[in-house]
Amino acid sequence: MEKRIQALDVARGLAIIGTLGTNIWIFSKLGNYDFMLGFGLNDYSLDSVIEAIMLFLTNGKFLGMLTILFGMGLELKRQSFIKRNQEHIWLWVYIWSMLLLLADGFLHFLFVFEYDILMSYAVTGIIVALLVRCKPKILKILAILLGIFYTVGVLLVSFALEAGMRLSEVRNDFIFSLNEIADVYSKGSYIEQILFRLDGIIQMRLEAIAVIPMNILLFLFGVYLVRAKIFQKTEKSAELRKKFLFWGLAAGIPLNALAFLPFFSMVSLVRYLFAPLMAIGYLMAIHWILERKGNHFLFQRLSEVGRTALSCYLLQNIAASILFYGWGFALGGKFNSIGTIGVFMFISLVMMMFAHLWLKKYNRGPFEMI
């Protein structure tokens, strides 16, 4: 068995829980994602500010970090096959694993949560697996071109969103559609919710498709980090980590703070363009802290969540749907921001307990075994 890298396990565990830090608001609001409009609605109540601070810390950041970690995992697997002189079969083994992930993602989308990320990761993984053997110079050119294309696309969409939402008719129609979604999740049966997702599969998967260019870039960045031996104990690696830590936070924090401005498009712009910067800062900060507090109880629990990442991702969304949706405990729409954060912390603790107890008997999570 390949030796596990503690920093990757801890980062993966934190990323999984961090994605819930964003998704919990969708569950709590019964599918209503009006928080993506930020302060464009000029709601600066204490409740909205608390929600915005939580989303400032989580929205897009942990998803970005998880995407980078997927890319690092891809390259680590490839290198392990190379060490065993089995590079010729690596591509097919990896593509098969991504096809299984695609199937997992579709089932997760259909039966649990319409904002599944696994399907997008599976498609991205296949694309990057086909690219990763290209020469570094070619990969750099592809990344630059793709980055320009993606950035222009995000800016154009953000501009269109801002212009559209300033029209009262468009804004009212959008809010009405969100209320219709909330009705389905508050009053609809479990079967009705499945049929609702199936009927709207194309519309609901648009984001997962649109972010594939960003995913490719972050996967490739993860590949680069592994090849740069980012977590090795060398002066060169330490200097590289310091550089990424500084720029990830020094540039990432103020750029992500733009989400507090009173514009409809700013949260989307931050999520899809600037959040990955903070994700890089988070990843490097995790390693910096682990070097000093590696045996801390919390990091041990996060490491266990990281080792059962797929299972915890699926189970935390199942738990949230049971708690909030009408066919379950029907708690959706009944909590303010503090209450929602409380439920997030409760589910996170449950996931940590689950991972700890499960790994006492098994080496991998239940869904990882499939």
Side-chain angles (χ1 to χ4, degrees), residues 26 54 56 78 115-116 143 232 247 274 286 355 360:
I26 300 175
M54 177 72 169
F56 166 77
R78 191 179 78 91
Y115 296 102
D116 164 78
Q232 285 196 356
W247 287 111
F274 301 139
I286 288 168
K360 281 191 169 185

Side-chain angles (χ1 to χ4, degrees), residues 28 57 86 261 320:
S28 177
L57 296 172
Q86 295 178 330
L261 295 178

Side-chain angles (χ1 to χ4, degrees), residues 20 23-31 113 317 320-321 324-325 332:
L20 181 64
N23 293 339
I24 196 71
W25 304 98
I26 300 175
F27 285 113
S28 177
K29 296 184 176 189
L30 299 167
F113 189 48
N317 289 339
S321 62
F324 287 113
Y325 291 165

Side-chain angles (χ1 to χ4, degrees), residues 274-322:
F274 301 139
L277 276 172
M278 273 184 72
I280 294 168
Y282 281 0
L283 182 57
M284 299 306 147
I286 288 168
H287 187 275
W288 185 85
I289 296 171
L290 280 173
E291 285 184 313
R292 292 151 179 80
K293 301 284 185 178
N295 293 321
H296 193 279
F297 175 84
L298 177 61
F299 292 131
Q300 292 177 11
R301 302 293 78 79
L302 287 173
S303 178
E304 290 164 346
V305 173
R307 289 169 59 191
T308 56
L310 176 61
S311 297
C312 285
Y313 172 69
L314 296 173
L315 291 173
Q316 70 187 16
N317 289 339
I318 292 171
S321 62
I322 292 172

